Amino acid sequence: MVAKDKQFRDDKEKLKERGYRWVRRVVQPGPDPVFRWALLDPQGQEVSKEKALGDIELAENPVPDDFDYPIY
């Protein structure tokens, strides 16, 4: 359980460093409104946490672009 909590905190910090932010969205308005959390990218577009972490991973560790060259 402690490892999972640490991973959650690390992911949260990584997202924050890259300009992502969590916002509450009203799903069901009314006297007792229902909310959900949405993750926004630096441009303000809603994204999934998995996609955001994948984009960060790709930015930090780019894949070498040597697929166009034949291997001998």
Side-chain angles (χ1 to χ4, degrees):
M1 187 62 120
V2 172
K4 199 169 199 175
D5 187 51
K6 180 173 177 5
Q7 181 64 45
F8 174 78
R9 291 179 189 281
D10 290 347
D11 289 349
K12 184 178 172 186
E13 193 61 36
K14 191 180 288 190
L15 291 168
K16 189 176 178 181
E17 288 171 0
R18 290 289 186 153
Y20 290 84
R21 58 193 163 93
W22 291 97
V23 295
R24 282 189 345 174
R25 301 271 193 204
V26 177
V27 177
Q28 198 172 29
D32 190 21
V34 176
F35 296 96
R36 72 174 177 84
W37 287 99
L39 181 63
L40 301 183
D41 66 10
Q43 289 79 35
Q45 301 296 316
E46 192 171 324
V47 296
S48 71
K49 180 180 173 186
E50 293 76 20
K51 170 138 178 41
L53 290 171
D55 290 347
I56 291 171
E57 181 68 29
L58 189 61
E60 291 176 349
N61 303 309
V63 177
D65 191 22
D66 60 359
F67 297 114
D68 298 329
Y69 304 105
I71 299 173
Y72 296 104

